[in-house]
Amino acid sequence: MTDHPFRFGTVAGQAPDAAAWTGLARRAEGLGYSTLLVPDTLGTFSPFTAAAVAATATTTLRVGTYVLSVPNRTPRAVAWESATLHQLTGGRFELGLGAGRPDAESDAAALGVRFGTPGQRIERLSDTIDAVQDVRILVAASGTRLLRLAARKADTVALGVPPHYTEEQVAAKLDELYELAGDRFHDLELAMNLVCAGSEPPEWALRRFGRIGTGILTGTVTEMTDTLRRRRDHLGVSYVSVNAQFMDNFAPVVERLAGT
């Protein structure tokens, strides 16, 4: 379904200090991860600053936002920050954008900015993409309006579906994206995030999401590898990110599949 090679990211937003943060970045690079992705919440590091620090400690690791809540910054401010990081990282910065997760409204209120209606946030997202130049752009999307925007303007589309979604439910979303993207569909890199990965899911994941779902990857290294190959063949998903808590557990899969 796709000829995009596998690549892998790890998502992290906190560390005790600078040494721990840069150490995490270097470890991700050494394990073969393509990107270190920083979320945009008031409970985590400021994403642009954290990405910059991680980039200074590495040489090949790409850094990015996953994903920036567009109500929190003007399009021009995002373009300025992105251009700076693009230049100072030697082109290793990737901009992930979203219209705001369900609980992002409280962050906007704390920052003193207007969250806006869904339609206004999607318009802000479109304006932000238009303001940015020379940076690879990921858009997190699930609903039809966001999928339509991502189909037109993104390089990577991250499917913003719950971890308990089955492959059949993901396929239905991708069918919709296919119809919206037309000739662009095969140029799009498709991404999904794993909340956990390893031989057994932790108890908190089982309680919250259950055992079955595309956001929870379990089994032996061979089983997990085969699952991701099947998903790429059937769904087209080639870019997989994982919570940094499971970065080491998932590393043998990355070693087998990255770049293939």
Side-chain angles (χ1 to χ4, degrees):
M1 187 174 180
T2 181
D3 56 3
H4 290 285
F6 276 112
R7 67 179 185 134
F8 298 92
T10 187
V11 182
Q14 274 290 4
D17 51 35
W21 180 249
T22 54
L24 185 151
R26 284 192 293 268
R27 181 151 184 78
E29 183 176 61
L31 291 173
Y33 287 87
S34 173
T35 51
L36 174 60
L37 304 168
V38 188
D40 185 21
T41 79
L42 291 185
T44 52
F45 286 147
S46 169
F48 285 117
T49 302
V53 171
T56 63
T58 55
T59 56
T60 61
L61 185 73
R62 301 177 71 82
V63 294
T65 56
Y66 194 78
V67 292
L68 216 63
S69 182
V70 295
N72 296 354
R73 302 163 187 82
T74 66
R76 186 67 191 92
V78 174
W80 178 35
E81 296 277 9
S82 298
T84 300
L85 266 175
H86 175 73
Q87 182 172 350
L88 295 182
T89 63
R92 287 188 287 138
F93 176 66
E94 299 185 12
L95 178 65
L97 297 169
R101 67 193 188 286
D103 58 347
E105 188 168 5
S106 61
D107 283 359
L111 290 168
V113 296
R114 186 168 179 269
F115 192 60
T117 66
Q120 289 169 335
R121 298 198 306 274
I122 291 171
E123 183 178 0
R124 171 69 71 92
L125 177 54
S126 179
D127 291 343
T128 301
I129 295 172
D130 291 342
V132 174
Q133 297 180 354
D134 300 324
V135 173
R136 187 175 183 86
I137 292 176
L138 173 150
V139 172
S142 178
T144 299
R145 286 185 291 179
L146 274 174
L147 286 171
R148 181 179 293 112
L149 176 61
R152 290 192 296 114
K153 296 188 175 185
D155 299 298
T156 300
V157 180
L159 297 176
V161 297
H164 65 265
Y165 259 41
T166 64
E167 289 189 14
E168 290 74 19
Q169 289 172 302
V170 172
K173 284 291 180 186
L174 289 171
D175 286 344
E176 184 177 8
L177 179 62
Y178 179 84
E179 294 298 324
L180 293 167
D183 292 342
R184 281 201 84 222
F185 182 78
H186 294 290
D187 294 329
L188 295 172
E189 179 185 52
L190 303 181
M192 290 189 67
N193 183 58
L194 301 174
V195 296
C196 59
S199 58
E200 282 292 329
E203 284 299 319
W204 63 262
L206 290 174
R207 289 194 302 269
R208 186 171 179 184
F209 305 117
R211 184 174 290 274
I212 298 174
T214 51
I216 298 174
L217 186 66
T218 60
T220 65
V221 172
T222 297
E223 288 169 340
M224 290 190 287
T225 298
D226 289 345
T227 295
L228 293 182
R229 283 194 178 116
R230 186 187 71 249
R231 289 180 185 173
R232 185 175 65 174
D233 290 344
H234 294 167
L235 302 174
V237 175
S238 61
Y239 182 22
V240 180
S241 57
V242 66
N243 185 315
Q245 179 181 347
F246 303 95
M247 182 172 68
D248 291 320
N249 292 350
F250 195 57
V253 177
V254 173
E255 183 178 10
R256 290 193 186 186
L257 290 181
T260 65

